[in-house]
Amino acid sequence: MAKTIITQGGDLVNYANIIAVFVDDELDDDENVLGYNLWGLDVTNDNILLGEYATLDEAVQAKNKIVDWIDNEAYAKVDLSEKAGDVS
């Protein structure tokens, strides 16, 4: 079974197409931090928005959730629409 990441927006992303995940600040025009985005870089060098978070801690928890899930490979999907830390 292919492993699937369900983004906060409900999009399905095959994890085999993701080569990196990273957190980046979302800034306004005055360089004020509005929030934090979790991105996946895919094999075509496109960034896929996986989730938007109010705090850096929430974004890092979601990133760690994906990394742990891929390392563990015990589950068929990871759902980022759920609270950080819930893996199914």
Side-chain angles (χ1 to χ4, degrees), residues 41-56:
L41 179 66
D42 73 7
V43 294
T44 65
N45 214 29
D46 286 333
N47 289 324
I48 300 169
L49 181 61
L50 300 175
E52 299 174 307
Y53 301 89
T55 68
L56 180 59

